[in-house]
Amino acid sequence: MASPDPHDEHNAGPLRREIPEAEPGYIEFFGFATHPFPHRVNPQHLFLTEGLRALKTKLPAVLATPGSLAVITGEVGAGKTTLAREVVYKSATSSIIAWINQTLLGETEFLQMLLVQLGLEPFGLDENELVTHLTEFLIEQHNCGGKIILVVDEAHNMSPRVIEQINMLLQQTIEGETLFSVVLIGEKSLERTLQAANVAELAARVTYRTHLDAFSIAETEEYIQHQLEAAGLEGESPFRGTLMPLVHKYTGGSLHRINTLCNFALLNAFLEQTKTISTELLELTLNDLQWAPEAIGSTSAAASMAGAPAHAIKLVLDFDKGREFVIDKESVRIGRSADNEVRINDPMVSRHHASIITRDGVSYIQDEGSTNGVYINRKRIKRRLLHDGDKIWIDRNRFRFFRTENP
């Protein structure tokens, strides 16, 4: 039986449920039936480029083969994780699925995370005990005909020791039968990560490899129209075709960045009570977002080549004696539970209270359905862009957001 999809609202498994997004205020104004540019894309309405269509066709066959290894790389926002999740949970109906997206882990932490995703209790065990626990679980699955699919997202951040562990998982057999299939998803640097680990056996096991590029200008226009129609738009698009070169220039064809820009452009149009997004209105939105075209071009590229982000982003945790927390990943969770990146040990704080999402140089904070709310500069918010110096309150716990340009 397949593991529950962590993004399914009915999931009661070991993975944390996602909180549904709040509907933006412009929905009724434009006559949409639903949010056209959500943070979490509805797989039923997923826009498929040629590369995504090929992935959707070929990945199920790979998953059906025990011992297989798929490597999926792509630009940020190319849709690789969204489609892979849809394919894995739809096609692997008779498998147990372990989905790991926290990859800045040591080998022991990785094993613990794997066992958690398999529904086991790994805490308090040393590495040898973890391996024994996993082996016993594999024997049980073998006896009942079970298969396991391990998906590692953000895999470009894996350490060489964790890569060696994945190779050992693929090599492990029970009575000559391999139970694991593995899918590695990451940015283009994932290939360099695998090469640097120098695990020849793992390289030889790759049965499917693909790279997904960011959207072209034409695909950007097609995607925007697709999203508007999927949301129930009737009539003319608010986004004219003449805007597309500007949209692509500032988004670089990143799906997430396009969603952010279009969402805020529609919001600004609603505030201006106009159903046509002009060049001036789009430029106003870009100014609100503090975006610049070089963030997609030379600045971002140079930062990538240097191996450092274009901005240094951090939180100063005033509630924890001013300790600094560097934001070096796309999603940082905040809450009372121990599995949050920023933990606040306060009974007034929800288990998973809020998240800070950083994509393409833009950071925003969203309330994850907490009881007592999230406040920015003393104003309660559901979701808001973060600016340098913003003060964030979660109940009585204050921390500050800072971003500085790298020299």
Side-chain angles (χ1 to χ4, degrees), residues 91-112:
S91 62
T93 55
S94 60
S95 299
I96 294 175
I97 299 166
W99 193 292
I100 297 176
N101 54 19
Q102 296 182 26
T103 50
L104 293 172
L105 303 171
E107 51 266 42
T108 300
E109 295 170 314
F110 182 82
L111 275 176
Q112 289 176 333

Side-chain angles (χ1 to χ4, degrees), residues 202-218:
L202 188 67
R205 286 181 176 273
V206 177
T207 51
Y208 176 65
R209 174 182 274 115
T210 188
H211 178 76
L212 301 172
D213 292 316
F215 292 173
S216 64
I217 293 180

Side-chain angles (χ1 to χ4, degrees), residues 96 114-115 117-120 130-144 147-148 174 179-180:
I96 294 175
L114 173 59
L115 266 64
Q117 298 303 308
L118 294 174
L120 305 175
L130 290 170
V131 172
T132 299
H133 203 20
L134 176 60
T135 301
E136 292 171 349
F137 177 80
L138 294 178
I139 292 172
E140 291 176 6
Q141 293 305 309
H142 171 74
N143 292 338
C144 65
K147 305 293 181 184
I148 301 170
I174 306 296
L179 298 185
F180 271 98

Side-chain angles (χ1 to χ4, degrees), residues 105-312:
L105 303 171
E107 51 266 42
T108 300
E109 295 170 314
F110 182 82
L111 275 176
Q112 289 176 333
M113 184 66 69
L114 173 59
L115 266 64
V116 167
Q117 298 303 308
L118 294 174
L120 305 175
E121 293 289 342
F123 302 107
L125 304 179
D126 62 29
E127 188 168 351
N128 290 333
E129 291 170 329
L130 290 170
V131 172
T132 299
H133 203 20
L134 176 60
T135 301
E136 292 171 349
F137 177 80
L138 294 178
I139 292 172
E140 291 176 6
Q141 293 305 309
H142 171 74
N143 292 338
C144 65
K147 305 293 181 184
I148 301 170
I149 295 175
L150 169 62
V151 183
V152 183
D153 201 359
E154 301 292 323
H156 51 276
N157 291 324
M158 292 188 302
S159 69
R161 293 296 299 273
V162 170
I163 293 173
E164 290 175 7
Q165 281 189 329
I166 292 174
N167 183 52
M168 287 188 288
L169 290 175
L170 286 169
Q171 290 179 334
Q172 190 165 4
T173 61
I174 306 296
E175 296 183 358
E177 184 177 358
T178 302
L179 298 185
F180 271 98
S181 295
V182 176
V183 180
L184 303 180
I185 306 172
E187 297 176 15
K188 192 173 183 178
S189 59
L190 172 57
E191 293 288 359
R192 295 197 299 271
T193 299
L194 295 176
Q195 291 172 5
N198 197 27
V199 181
E201 299 94 334
L202 188 67
R205 286 181 176 273
V206 177
T207 51
Y208 176 65
R209 174 182 274 115
T210 188
H211 178 76
L212 301 172
D213 292 316
F215 292 173
S216 64
I217 293 180
E219 288 171 334
T220 298
E221 182 172 9
E222 291 171 7
Y223 169 73
I224 291 174
Q225 186 62 32
H226 173 271
Q227 292 300 109
L228 293 171
E229 292 175 358
L233 177 69
E234 296 181 357
E236 198 169 5
S237 168
F239 296 91
R240 301 292 185 261
T242 54
L243 294 175
M244 289 308 116
L246 186 61
V247 171
H248 191 266
K249 179 179 181 180
Y250 281 82
T251 63
S254 162
L255 184 149
H256 297 305
R257 202 171 172 98
I258 294 168
N259 283 349
T260 298
L261 178 57
C262 290
N263 185 39
F264 280 95
L266 289 170
L267 179 60
N268 279 336
F270 165 64
L271 295 174
E272 296 286 339
Q273 291 293 287
T274 177
K275 294 190 176 181
T276 301
I277 296 174
S278 63
T279 301
E280 292 74 21
L281 187 60
L282 188 64
E283 290 175 342
L284 173 66
T285 304
L286 290 165
N287 184 61
D288 290 342
L289 292 170
Q290 301 182 355
W291 286 3
E294 58 266 26
I296 292 296
S298 58
T299 299
S300 199
S304 176
M305 291 174 63
H311 301 85

